[in-house]
């Protein structure tokens, strides 16, 4: 099949939904030669911060001269961004070739009643095949959902398991308590790997410690007492960690702890034989980019895009708004899925806004209607209105904002790409 046919195939199997468990994934990978067994991994699970930690670690490893695979989700600009080598998305011809190969195996698996692979399972095997084809030295791998039953969890050659901050999200799938969710996330911890965890609430830390003890895995936790913040601005941040000074180009109060998590991951990799110079660390941190995490796309007024779509992300966003945008009039464009805890997100973010324009994320059955979202926002901040499109919402807040004001566009990642294009077409910088 060609690229267009491959994309149609992926869209069609997306209709199968998702199935937790690894039996289908193991069967499909076996039929394709278990490409994951010829790769090494840094495996990342958590609720928030997975992508940022991935960006720091993979950027440094690329600077150090390694060929680095990245597997990320969700993506917002192009489908191919899911699967990257050294920051370059998978080539369309390679995608078509490998999807054709996978489709034959998946169809045979289905015919033989050995299971029906889901789209995430197919995409994960696609990533493994591509990284093998490109002779990647190491793959930095995000889980899709949870950890224990996530399709990525068939891997065996894990150098470092990383647990980023865990909070309540996807409760209907992962569990109704923080402990239950943490147990699912900690499912990526396997014998032979070392474990790095970001700062965690006590129930989560207890779960991670117990899992590491059972699997005889050394554990390193980020030492928040060793973090010293030097400078924070929309253009980047400087900080010290364990006495060493670092600079990052990403704004957002939470990015310093994400970077410190990456520092600990890189320290473990060095101890396991990876040759990573101090210069590679410093330049990799400065060059690391991660889209739509307190990302500044305009200066006058300041326009910031942020994928805060759960309470933990909203709390981090609120802290960043208070720190970076103090003294400015702040207007929001906000859209979220109906199955998210949007009431808590509103409670955390709405009090700081001069005006909130609510939108419905387009083309998704999970989207919360704009008017219903606006009604919920008005319970906390009466200055909320519904817009009939992303474009009209962007024009409204931009028209109302002076050069010294700020616009924050946040919520579901699914509409941020369109919002960015609308800001660019508006024309102010």
């Amino acid at each position: 099949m060609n690229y267009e046919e491959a994309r149609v195939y992926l869209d069609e199997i997306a209709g199968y939904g998702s199935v937790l468990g690894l039996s289908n994934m193991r069967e499909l990978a076996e039929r394709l030669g278990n490409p994951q067994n010829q790769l090494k991994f840094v495996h990342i699970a958590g609720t928030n911060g997975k992508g940022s930690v991935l960006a720091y670690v993979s950027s440094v490893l690329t600077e150090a001269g390694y060929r680095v695979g990245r597997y990320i989700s969700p993506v917002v600009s192009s489908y191919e961004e899911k699967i990257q080598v050294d920051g370059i998305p998978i080539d369309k011809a390679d995608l078509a070739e490998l999807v054709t190969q996978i489709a034959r195996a998946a169809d045979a698996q289905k015919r033989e009643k050995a299971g029906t692979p889901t789209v995430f399972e197919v995409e994960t095997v696609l990533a493994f095949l591509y990284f093998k084809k490109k002779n990647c030295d190491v793959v930095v791998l995000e889980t899709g959902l949870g950890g224990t039953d996530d399709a990525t969890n068939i891997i065996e050659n894990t150098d470092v398991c990383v647990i980023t901050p865990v909070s309540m999200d996807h409760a209907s799938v992962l569990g109704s308590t923080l402990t239950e969710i943490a147990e699912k996330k900690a499912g990526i911890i396997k014998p032979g790997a070392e474990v790095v965890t970001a700062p965690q609430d006590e129930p989560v830390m207890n779960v991670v410690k117990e899992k590491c003890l059972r699997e005889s895995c050394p554990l390193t936790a980020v030492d928040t007492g060793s973090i010293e913040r030097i400078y924070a601005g929309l253009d980047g941040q400087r900080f010290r960690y364990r006495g060493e000074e670092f600079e990052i180009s990403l704004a957002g109060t939470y990015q310093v702890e994400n970077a410190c998590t990456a520092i600990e991951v890189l320290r473990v990799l060095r101890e396991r034989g990876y040759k990573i110079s101090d210069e590679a660390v410093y330049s990799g941190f400065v060059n690391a980019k991660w889209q739509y995490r307190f990302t500044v796309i305009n200066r006058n007024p300041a326009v910031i895009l942020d994928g805060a779509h759960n309470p933990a992300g909203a709390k981090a966003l609120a802290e960043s708004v208070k720190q970076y945008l103090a003294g400015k009039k702040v207007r929001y464009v906000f859209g979220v899925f109906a199955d998210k805890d949007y009431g808590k997100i509103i409670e955390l973010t709405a009090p700081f806004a001069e005006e909130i324009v609510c939108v419905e994320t387009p083309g998704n059955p999970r989207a919360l209607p704009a008017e219903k979202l606006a009604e919920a926002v008005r319970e906390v901040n009466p200055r909320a209105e519904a817009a009939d499109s992303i474009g009209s919402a962007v024009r409204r807040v931009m028209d109302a904002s002076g050069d010294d004001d700020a616009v924050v566009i946040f919520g579901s990642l699914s509409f941020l790409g369109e919002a960015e294009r609308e800001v660019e077409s508006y024309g102010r910088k």
Side-chain angles (χ1 to χ4, degrees):
M1 60 182 79
N2 60 28
Y3 172 78
E4 289 74 19
E5 291 167 337
R7 288 297 309 275
V8 168
Y9 171 78
L10 292 168
D11 288 342
E12 287 175 349
I13 63 172
Y16 298 166
S18 60
V19 179
L20 290 178
L22 299 180
S23 58
N24 280 355
M25 182 64 188
R26 291 190 193 282
E27 177 69 24
L28 182 61
E30 175 74 24
R31 290 169 181 261
L32 291 160
N34 284 315
Q36 75 281 357
N37 291 347
Q38 299 175 54
L39 298 164
K40 291 185 175 183
F41 296 92
V42 174
H43 201 187
I44 307 176
T47 306
N48 292 93
K50 295 192 297 292
S52 298
V53 173
L54 176 147
Y56 292 124
V57 172
S58 56
S59 178
V60 169
L61 287 171
T62 297
E63 291 283 343
Y66 291 96
R67 178 166 288 187
V68 184
R70 299 184 183 191
Y71 184 50
I72 61 177
S73 64
V75 294
V76 291
S77 295
S78 72
Y79 179 87
E80 291 73 42
E81 288 178 353
K82 288 176 182 282
I83 301 168
Q84 304 176 18
V85 173
D86 292 336
I88 300 172
I90 183 172
D91 181 80
K92 290 182 177 180
D94 283 321
L95 185 146
E97 174 192 333
L98 295 174
V99 168
T100 302
Q101 182 181 344
I102 294 168
R104 293 194 191 103
D107 290 346
Q109 181 176 341
K110 186 177 179 181
R111 276 196 316 273
E112 296 165 16
K113 302 188 185 310
T116 301
T118 67
V119 68
F120 186 68
E121 290 165 344
V122 167
E123 289 169 342
T124 302
V125 170
L126 169 62
F128 293 156
L129 287 168
Y130 185 65
F131 297 146
K132 175 189 170 186
K133 179 177 181 178
K134 290 295 186 179
N135 297 312
C136 287
D137 300 304
V138 61
V139 174
V140 189
L141 185 71
E142 272 191 66
T143 59
L145 180 64
T148 302
D149 296 323
D150 188 80
T152 63
N153 207 29
I154 67 165
I155 64 174
E156 297 178 358
N157 304 322
T158 307
D159 279 313
V160 190
C161 301
V162 189
I163 310 296
T164 65
V166 175
S167 61
M168 295 298 298
D169 200 17
H170 300 292
S172 62
V173 177
L174 299 180
S176 57
T177 69
L178 199 54
T179 296
E180 289 174 345
I181 293 172
E183 287 171 348
K184 294 291 196 303
K185 305 288 187 181
I188 68 168
I189 296 172
K190 298 182 178 71
E194 296 193 40
V195 180
V196 171
T197 179
Q200 305 284 1
D201 291 336
E202 185 176 358
V204 177
M205 188 61 77
N206 289 339
V207 168
V208 173
K209 287 179 178 178
E210 289 171 7
K211 179 70 171 178
C212 288
L213 190 61
R214 288 198 304 271
E215 303 294 353
S216 300
C217 294
L219 171 64
T220 300
V222 169
D223 180 8
T224 55
S226 294
I227 299 174
E228 180 186 351
R229 298 171 189 266
I230 301 170
Y231 167 79
L234 293 177
D235 57 340
Q237 305 181 72
R238 292 197 308 278
F239 64 96
R240 290 189 186 89
Y241 182 62
R242 299 190 188 275
E244 290 188 65
E245 187 168 325
F246 300 89
E247 181 179 352
I248 55 177
S249 299
L250 301 177
T253 56
Y254 47 86
Q255 286 297 354
V256 170
E257 288 186 354
N258 288 337
C260 291
T261 304
I263 290 167
E264 296 292 4
V265 172
L266 293 163
R267 180 190 58 77
V268 171
L269 290 174
R270 279 172 161 169
E271 291 175 353
R272 292 175 77 96
Y274 287 77
K275 299 190 182 303
I276 306 167
S277 68
D278 290 344
E279 291 75 13
V281 175
Y282 300 141
S283 59
F285 272 26
V286 170
N287 293 328
K289 302 288 185 289
W290 191 241
Q291 201 172 24
Y292 304 154
R293 300 304 190 275
F294 213 77
T295 302
V296 182
I297 63 168
N298 198 83
R299 293 289 177 176
N300 301 302
V303 179
I304 294 153
L305 303 178
D306 194 283
H309 61 274
N310 56 37
K315 181 180 179 182
L317 173 61
E319 291 171 353
S320 295
V321 168
K322 286 187 287 186
Q323 175 169 330
Y324 295 106
L325 305 179
K328 295 180 180 291
K329 290 183 178 180
V330 182
R331 292 174 176 82
Y332 292 163
V333 175
F334 175 36
V336 70
F337 290 159
D339 56 3
K340 294 296 182 178
D341 187 359
Y342 58 87
K344 188 64 175 179
I345 297 172
I346 291 166
E347 176 188 326
L348 291 164
T349 58
F352 309 108
E354 183 79 11
E355 179 185 17
I356 302 173
V357 182
C358 299
V359 298
E360 179 175 336
T361 58
N364 196 304
R366 296 166 57 199
L368 184 66
E371 185 52 52
K372 185 173 181 179
L373 180 57
E375 289 174 5
V377 172
R378 290 186 197 111
E379 295 181 10
V380 178
N381 185 330
R383 299 180 298 277
E385 299 293 338
D388 59 7
S389 69
I390 309 299
S392 64
V394 167
R395 289 189 294 274
R396 174 168 177 159
V397 294
M398 293 295 284
D399 286 343
S401 298
D403 285 352
D404 294 329
D405 296 337
V407 171
V408 179
I409 305 173
F410 76 100
S412 298
L413 286 163
S414 58
F415 83 95
L416 296 184
E418 181 177 344
E420 181 174 20
R421 290 188 292 272
E422 292 290 347
V423 172
E424 290 174 350
S425 68
Y426 188 90
R428 288 168 64 183
K429 289 293 182 182

